[in-house]
Amino acid sequence: MPELELPKDDFVRDIIRDDLSKGSHQAVITRFPPEPNGYLHIGHAKSICLNFGVAKEFGGHCHLRFDDTNPAKEEQEFIDSIKEDVSWLGFDWGENLFHASDYFEQLYSWAESLINKGLAYVCDLSAEEMREYRGTLTEPGRDSPYRNRSVEENLSLFREMRAGGFPEGSKTLRAKIDMASGNMNLRDPALYRIKHAAHPRTGSTWKIYPTYDYAHGQSDAIEGITHSLCTLEFADHRPLYDWLIEHLTVPARPRQYEFARLNLTHTVLSKRVLMRLVSEGHVTGWDDPRMPTIRGMRRRGVPPEALKDFIGRLAISKSDSTIEMQMLDHSIREHLNEHAERRMAVLKPLKLTIRNWPKGQTEMLEVPNHPGRPELGTRKIPFSGSLWIEADDFMEDPPRKFFRLGPGREVRLRFAYLVTCEDFIKNETGEVTEIICTYDPATAGGNAPDGRKVKGIIHWVSAVHAIEAEVLLTSQLFKSENPSAGGDPIEDIDANSLEVVKEVKLEPELASALAGYPVQFERLGYFNRDPAQSQLAFIRTIGLRDSWAKTQTKG
Ligand code: ATP
Ligand code: MG
């Protein structure tokens, strides 16, 4: 028996618990059914965590099923990326990898059985005419003029559709339900469309493809899915889901349940918009660190555990809401604060020279990798008389409360010595280019033996030993909290959301940093080695300041 996690509490788990205790099902079987027409985003992660999560908690299985019914938009690249992303999140479908296309033959023969029962017909209305005939929410639709074709005519036309005898868009197979239904989904919905595009798995075998509504429930039935969990917008499709299951001789009776999708501020979770961001070049790709895709977040250095922690805090409910991005940031920071090793790096370098440092000498300082976790060990960093510090840590004419460097002021160099600023040098344009300091040799480790107070601590990198890299600093891709509020979210893109900082100075240890193991650059934030670049480069995963935690404790 695999180890079971204690089930969480929400309406989905209540239903499952109830079904299991009544014996309606022996085991829970769920599925995650992505359409391979894009990369997964954080909204999908909610569905993945729910489907794989409940299966695991109740000792069942979760299937990964590709809903590959639209060859015009689907690609192998997306199939591969989806598998990789689900695995990266830490979920395992084991042997349960399926494709709706595995069932094309079965789905086809069930469609013929609907025709035989007089419950489906071939319709020649164009897409536009179909919309017209469909009516509106307040007006009933009208029967298609092709609705009363005989079973024989329907069968022969449908077979001809399959054989490729008709051009795309010229005919559909429709369920014969009720054009006056209050539910638009029951107004003779399309079950099959003609498409001549090649399919990534079935090639050119098929000229007709089932619609989502027709394929989904029947695939659930074939796989013995017990709880088919989808987002709220499918609630109105449930009567059709049930109608099809009822009128077909399917091997099982799955049921659909709907939960609220994840919406997040400052981003867009629509594959259509994400696709546009990529194809129109507003971002550098699906893995752009500003994208809400699993790929983008992974490249940025977001740990899968932090993502799952965030999702675990979300309610699985029946009403839509929008979650603040800061809540996700909070989970990321909390995880990284505990797990990320500390390093020193200088983003905006200014030279600091120690006048009284023994010429040419290097001292290796042994420093902890994490201030609170000695088990993460130590490393050695070189200290010398020529350092880089942050330009912002010096002011020519600082106010009293500025506890960093200024003329005559003393500061602690992290892990090293106290230094006092004696002088500074400017170039012709008046820019400070170098700080001249003296160090107090009695303050090794940063402690003054006479107990004098030095408030400021700044970080540094030895200039002689520093290595250089490029750093990507990103901020929210969209300016507004709700990028779609004004219409087209593309208009809301912040053109300054990606900044490339060149020649950042790093402590030598960072040469061996690994992508996927973000580190904290002391005082600057968390950074991940960029897996997409062959030369050394880092991406800021997230800054240090947590505004969300503060607002939560205030209220
Ligand atoms: P589309 O159907 O427009 O291509 P989609 O986002 O629904 O986009 P699918 O590949 O069909 O993409 O989604 C796979 C599963 O992920 C579905 O069960 C869907 O309900 C779920 N899902 C998609 N977006 C979200 C979201 N924002 N929150 C929770 N679940 C989601
Ligand atoms: Mg969908």
Side-chain angles (χ1 to χ4, degrees):
M1 269 296 276
E3 199 180 308
L4 302 188
E5 281 170 21
L6 206 57
K8 303 186 178 89
D9 228 1
D10 53 56
F11 82 93
V12 169
R13 285 156 169 106
D14 282 346
I15 290 168
I16 294 176
R17 221 175 268 122
D18 198 45
D19 284 345
L20 291 175
S21 73
K22 282 195 311 220
S24 325
H25 298 293
Q26 302 312 309
V28 180
I29 304 180
T30 55
R31 87 287 169 263
F32 172 63
E35 187 183 347
N37 60 353
Y39 281 66
L40 297 181
H41 55 62
I42 186 165
H44 295 116
K46 180 177 181 184
S47 174
I48 294 169
C49 290
L50 178 64
N51 280 295
F52 281 91
V54 296
K56 186 163 177 221
E57 288 159 28
F58 292 97
H61 296 290
C62 180
H63 296 183
L64 175 61
R65 182 201 310 146
F66 286 101
D67 208 333
D68 54 349
T69 51
N70 184 0
K73 291 189 182 161
E74 294 160 8
E75 289 171 27
Q76 189 61 39
E77 176 194 347
F78 300 137
I79 296 184
D80 296 340
S81 78
I82 289 169
K83 285 196 219 163
E84 234 186 274
D85 288 350
V86 173
S87 298
W88 178 79
L89 275 171
F91 295 107
D92 182 9
W93 54 87
E95 293 167 352
N96 299 304
L97 175 64
F98 300 102
H99 303 79
S101 58
D102 298 338
Y103 315 132
F104 280 173
E105 197 60 55
Q106 173 68 75
L107 292 170
Y108 176 84
S109 83
W110 277 334
E112 284 206 351
S113 84
L114 285 177
I115 294 174
N116 281 317
K117 290 181 187 167
L119 294 174
Y121 62 97
V122 172
C123 181
D124 299 2
L125 293 180
S126 68
E128 197 179 315
E129 289 166 328
M130 241 196 325
R131 254 193 306 281
E132 239 168 75
Y133 272 78
R134 209 165 163 231
T136 64
L137 283 173
T138 50
E139 277 169 43
R142 283 177 293 142
D143 285 0
S144 158
Y146 307 98
R147 199 172 198 259
N148 294 316
R149 278 175 164 156
S150 69
V151 168
E152 292 68 35
E153 190 184 1
N154 280 320
L155 271 184
S156 112
L157 286 170
F158 189 46
R159 286 173 185 166
E160 187 65 26
M161 278 167 70
R162 174 181 180 158
F166 303 114
E168 284 195 16
S170 61
K171 284 182 170 47
T172 52
L173 181 75
R174 299 175 70 177
K176 194 169 179 176
I177 308 180
D178 179 6
M179 286 308 291
S181 171
N183 184 338
M184 302 281 281
N185 295 294
L186 295 180
R187 293 185 187 173
D188 292 8
L191 304 179
Y192 271 90
R193 298 199 171 88
I194 301 172
K195 286 196 168 115
H196 291 184
H199 186 283
R201 302 190 80 240
T202 58
S204 56
T205 310
W206 291 89
K207 308 294 177 200
I208 53 173
Y209 289 91
T211 56
Y212 168 89
D213 280 323
Y214 178 59
H216 201 84
Q218 284 39 260
S219 302
D220 285 345
I222 294 170
E223 292 175 20
I225 301 299
T226 55
H227 300 81
S228 182
L229 309 172
C230 62
T231 40
L232 287 178
E233 60 278 21
F234 289 98
D236 287 347
H237 295 239
R238 181 158 25 94
L240 175 57
Y241 184 103
D242 292 340
W243 186 91
L244 287 163
I245 295 283
E246 198 175 306
H247 290 94
L248 292 169
T249 314
V250 289
R253 301 205 129 234
R255 283 196 56 182
Q256 173 185 301
Y257 301 92
E258 306 89 20
F259 65 96
R261 59 187 289 113
L262 171 63
N263 301 303
L264 261 184
T265 59
H266 293 286
T267 194
V268 174
L269 300 182
S270 145
K271 272 197 275 190
R272 197 179 44 80
V273 175
L274 298 181
M275 175 64 88
R276 268 185 74 199
L277 291 174
V278 174
S279 63
E280 295 174 11
H282 303 290
V283 295
T284 56
W286 288 98
D287 69 347
D288 186 298
R290 294 165 296 172
M291 290 281 271
T293 51
I294 309 271
R295 265 325 143 96
M297 289 192 285
R298 176 179 175 182
R299 182 171 163 206
R300 223 178 94 198
V302 174
E305 297 83 4
L307 254 180
K308 288 192 281 190
D309 173 79
F310 164 69
I311 287 163
R313 293 175 195 224
L314 301 172
I316 300 296
S317 79
K318 281 181 169 288
S319 55
D320 267 319
S321 65
T322 299
I323 305 298
E324 282 185 54
M325 184 64 95
Q326 287 91 323
M327 185 173 159
L328 169 61
D329 292 349
H330 176 74
S331 287
I332 300 171
R333 277 196 191 92
E334 200 171 69
H335 184 90
L336 291 178
N337 182 41
E338 190 180 339
H339 296 278
E341 292 194 1
R342 274 47 170 177
R343 298 287 184 266
M344 291 207 282
V346 174
L347 281 187
K348 233 203 285 167
L350 172 63
K351 183 65 85 52
L352 184 153
T353 303
I354 304 176
R355 197 147 58 186
N356 59 337
W357 184 261
K359 220 179 163 61
Q361 184 170 307
T362 297
E363 187 177 331
M364 295 305 287
L365 307 174
E366 184 166 359
V367 308
N369 285 324
H370 193 290
R373 299 186 56 196
E375 73 274 20
L376 293 180
T378 60
R379 69 187 187 284
K380 291 213 163 118
I381 49 175
F383 182 84
S384 71
S386 175
L387 309 172
W388 295 112
I389 62 163
E390 282 313 325
D392 292 346
D393 283 337
F394 172 81
M395 278 181 88
E396 195 180 331
D397 187 15
R400 218 162 47 84
K401 293 247 158 163
F402 183 80
F403 297 119
R404 290 167 274 164
L405 277 175
R409 298 204 180 185
E410 190 171 38
V411 80
R412 191 186 313 259
L413 294 175
R414 180 93 165 127
F415 302 124
Y417 295 90
L418 299 184
V419 291
T420 304
C421 173
E422 307 286 356
D423 200 1
F424 57 90
I425 298 168
K426 282 184 174 179
N427 62 15
E428 311 88 72
T429 59
E431 198 189 351
V432 176
T433 54
E434 189 176 345
I435 313 287
I436 312 293
C437 292
T438 51
Y439 86 111
D440 179 350
T443 58
N447 300 310
D450 60 0
R452 69 181 184 272
K453 282 224 159 60
V454 177
K455 274 205 172 162
I457 302 188
I458 64 172
H459 64 276
W460 51 272
V461 170
S462 167
V464 197
H465 306 89
I467 55 170
E468 286 187 349
E470 185 181 291
V471 165
L472 306 184
L473 301 178
T474 64
S475 52
Q476 305 290 10
L477 179 59
F478 297 101
K479 288 181 278 194
S480 324
E481 212 167 272
N482 178 0
S484 308
D488 188 356
I490 303 290
E491 306 283 316
D492 191 47
I493 290 178
D494 180 356
N496 301 316
S497 51
L498 181 69
E499 187 191 344
V500 181
V501 187
K502 303 237 185 239
E503 295 174 12
V504 166
K505 312 292 183 186
L506 309 168
E507 64 165 271
E509 185 80 16
L510 282 165
S512 57
L514 295 175
Y517 295 86
V519 290
Q520 185 190 103
F521 288 177
E522 299 222 13
R523 298 175 67 222
L524 297 174
Y526 298 97
F527 291 76
N528 187 36
R529 169 137 192 201
D530 186 357
Q533 300 194 50
S534 51
Q535 78 277 22
L536 191 65
F538 289 84
I539 304 181
R540 182 171 62 196
T541 312
I542 199 155
L544 292 176
R545 218 167 58 93
D546 191 339
S547 52
W548 187 78
K550 282 191 205 112
T551 61
Q552 296 305 299
T553 48
K554 244 194 284 168

